[in-house]
Amino acid sequence: MAGILYIVPTPVGNLEDMTFRAIRVLKEADLILAEDTRTSSVLLKHFEISGRLESHHKFNEHKTASMIKERILAGLNVALISDAGTPGISDPGFLLARTCIEEGIEVQTLPGATAFVPALVSSGYPCDRFCFEGFLPQKKGRQTKIESLAGETRTMIFYESPYRLVKTLEQFAEYFGPQRQCSVAREISKKFEEHRRGSLEDVASWFREHEPKGEIVIIVAGAPEVQKEKKKYHKADRDDE
């Protein structure tokens, strides 16, 4: 009888965010796959979890997914974790989940910590409709991607490195308008959690003077419907030329 693939969220900051179910599943799993075994070893030791640990990350997932699938088919219950948050959300996980699903293997994803949800809810912007963009391309296609989102009316969510934060906010201001509202959440669930809200122009200015550190989530308010309509008209005008 085939085993089960468990996708298990781990805390993005505060270890108290670990769920009882996540601890139980990790203790009972025959094998735990971790993005970085050194990072995960600290977490597992804290919760007295001593299961077998192997690496599964973006550099080897294409090679290991098929082998892991065969081990689950042979009866092993496997738990996948990332360094922090829910695997598959800007972390390895999608490929293994798809590989298992295609083989008819049961995939159970536990609810739990992820950085963008508290950042979104704490922003004060509409949460009924939003789009998650994750990390933008660093070079090729970056400008085109940002430009394509200028008329997006849903609240937008981005992950970003502290080293590129100011540049990204400046690019958003250029394409979305300097007065478009945003919220930058830093170090979610950690001791120095911070939320900086305001216009793209003002928030970029703040972080030019105060060097950002830690994990970053950027929430950008959607474009007004009027702006979206203007963009449609401009495109129609160009098509007529």
Side-chain angles (χ1 to χ4, degrees), residues 16 19 35 37-38 47 78 83 98-100 105 122 131 133 146 153 178 181 208 219 236:
E16 292 180 1
T19 68
E35 186 178 4
T37 55
R38 295 165 300 181
F47 290 106
V78 175
D83 288 349
R98 184 178 67 180
T99 299
C100 290
I105 293 170
S122 296
C131 62
E133 295 294 333
I146 295 174
T153 57
Q181 296 296 294
R208 284 191 208 100
I219 310 295

Coordinates of all heavy atoms in Angstrom, one line a residue, residues 16 19 35 37-38 47 78 83 98-100 105 122 131 133 146 153 178 181 208 219 236:
E16 N 6.4 29.4 18.2 CA 5.0 29.1 18.8 C 4.0 28.9 17.7 O 2.9 28.5 18.0 CB 4.6 30.1 19.8 CG 5.5 30.1 21.0 CD 5.1 31.2 22.0 OE1 4.1 31.9 21.8 OE2 5.7 31.3 23.1
T19 N 2.1 24.1 14.6 CA 0.9 23.5 15.0 C 1.1 22.1 15.7 O 2.1 21.4 15.4 CB -0.1 23.3 13.9 OG1 0.4 22.3 13.0 CG2 -0.3 24.6 13.1
E35 N 14.4 21.7 2.9 CA 15.1 22.6 1.9 C 16.6 22.8 2.3 O 17.5 22.7 1.5 CB 14.4 24.0 1.9 CG 14.9 24.9 0.9 CD 14.1 26.2 0.9 OE1 13.2 26.4 1.7 OE2 14.4 27.1 0.0
T37 N 18.9 21.1 5.4 CA 18.9 20.2 6.5 C 19.5 20.8 7.8 O 19.1 20.5 8.9 CB 19.6 18.9 6.2 OG1 21.0 19.2 5.8 CG2 18.9 18.1 5.1
R38 N 20.4 21.8 7.6 CA 21.0 22.4 8.7 C 20.0 23.3 9.4 O 19.9 23.3 10.7 CB 22.3 23.2 8.3 CG 23.4 22.4 7.7 CD 24.4 23.3 7.0 NE 23.8 24.0 5.9 CZ 24.4 24.8 5.0 NH1 25.7 25.0 5.2 NH2 23.8 25.3 4.0
F47 N 11.7 20.7 18.8 CA 10.4 19.9 19.0 C 10.6 18.4 19.3 O 9.7 17.7 19.3 CB 9.4 20.2 17.9 CG 8.9 21.5 17.8 CD1 9.3 22.4 16.8 CD2 8.0 22.0 18.7 CE1 8.8 23.7 16.8 CE2 7.5 23.3 18.7 CZ 7.9 24.2 17.7
V78 N 6.0 10.3 3.7 CA 7.1 11.4 3.6 C 6.5 12.7 3.9 O 5.4 13.1 3.4 CB 7.6 11.4 2.1 CG1 8.6 12.5 1.9 CG2 8.3 10.0 1.8
D83 N 12.5 25.9 4.6 CA 13.2 26.6 5.7 C 12.2 27.4 6.6 O 12.4 27.5 7.8 CB 14.2 27.6 5.1 CG 15.4 26.9 4.5 OD1 15.5 25.7 4.7 OD2 16.2 27.6 3.8
R98 N 3.0 17.6 -7.7 CA 2.5 17.2 -9.0 C 2.9 15.8 -9.4 O 2.0 15.1 -9.9 CB 2.9 18.2 -10.0 CG 2.3 18.0 -11.4 CD 2.7 19.0 -12.4 NE 4.2 18.9 -12.7 CZ 4.8 19.7 -13.6 NH1 4.1 20.7 -14.2 NH2 6.1 19.5 -13.8
T99 N 4.1 15.5 -9.1 CA 4.6 14.1 -9.5 C 3.8 13.1 -8.7 O 3.5 12.0 -9.3 CB 6.1 14.0 -9.1 OG1 6.9 15.0 -9.9 CG2 6.6 12.6 -9.5
C100 N 3.6 13.3 -7.4 CA 2.8 12.3 -6.7 C 1.4 12.3 -7.1 O 0.8 11.2 -7.2 CB 2.9 12.7 -5.2 SG 4.6 12.4 -4.5
I105 N -0.9 9.2 -5.8 CA -0.5 9.2 -4.4 C -1.3 10.3 -3.7 O -1.5 11.4 -4.2 CB 1.0 9.5 -4.3 CG1 1.8 8.3 -4.9 CG2 1.4 9.8 -2.9 CD1 3.3 8.6 -5.0
S122 N -2.8 42.6 7.5 CA -2.3 43.7 8.3 C -2.2 45.0 7.5 O -2.0 46.1 8.0 CB -1.0 43.4 9.0 OG -1.1 42.4 9.9
C131 N -3.8 39.1 -5.8 CA -3.0 38.3 -6.6 C -1.6 38.2 -6.0 O -1.1 39.2 -5.5 CB -2.9 38.8 -8.1 SG -2.2 40.4 -8.3
E133 N 2.2 37.4 -6.5 CA 3.2 37.4 -7.5 C 4.5 36.9 -7.1 O 5.4 36.6 -7.9 CB 3.4 38.9 -8.1 CG 2.2 39.4 -8.8 CD 1.8 38.7 -10.1 OE1 2.7 38.1 -10.7 OE2 0.6 38.7 -10.4
I146 N 6.4 44.2 -14.4 CA 5.9 45.3 -13.6 C 4.9 46.1 -14.4 O 3.8 46.5 -13.9 CB 7.0 46.1 -13.0 CG1 7.9 45.3 -12.1 CG2 6.5 47.4 -12.3 CD1 9.1 46.0 -11.6
T153 N -6.4 45.6 -10.7 CA -7.2 46.2 -9.7 C -7.2 45.4 -8.3 O -7.7 46.0 -7.3 CB -8.7 46.4 -10.2 OG1 -9.2 45.1 -10.6 CG2 -8.7 47.3 -11.4
P178 N 3.6 57.3 -8.2 CA 4.2 57.5 -6.9 C 3.3 57.5 -5.7 O 3.7 57.3 -4.5 CB 5.0 58.8 -7.0 CG 4.3 59.5 -8.1 CD 3.8 58.5 -9.1
Q181 N -0.7 53.4 -3.0 CA -0.5 53.0 -1.6 C 0.1 51.6 -1.5 O -0.2 50.7 -2.3 CB -1.8 53.1 -0.8 CG -2.4 54.5 -0.7 CD -1.5 55.4 0.1 OE1 -1.3 55.3 1.2 NE2 -1.0 56.5 -0.6
R208 N 15.2 54.3 2.1 CA 16.5 54.8 1.6 C 17.3 55.3 2.8 O 18.5 55.2 2.9 CB 16.3 56.0 0.7 CG 15.9 55.6 -0.7 CD 16.0 56.8 -1.7 NE 15.0 56.6 -2.8 CZ 13.9 57.2 -2.9 NH1 13.5 58.1 -1.9 NH2 13.1 57.0 -3.9
I219 N 3.0 44.7 -0.1 CA 1.6 44.7 -0.4 C 1.3 46.0 -1.2 O 1.6 47.1 -0.6 CB 0.6 44.6 0.8 CG1 1.1 43.4 1.7 CG2 -0.8 44.4 0.3 CD1 1.0 42.0 1.1
A236 N -6.4 50.9 -27.1 CA -7.3 50.9 -28.3 C -6.8 52.0 -29.2 O -6.8 51.8 -30.5 CB -8.7 51.2 -27.8

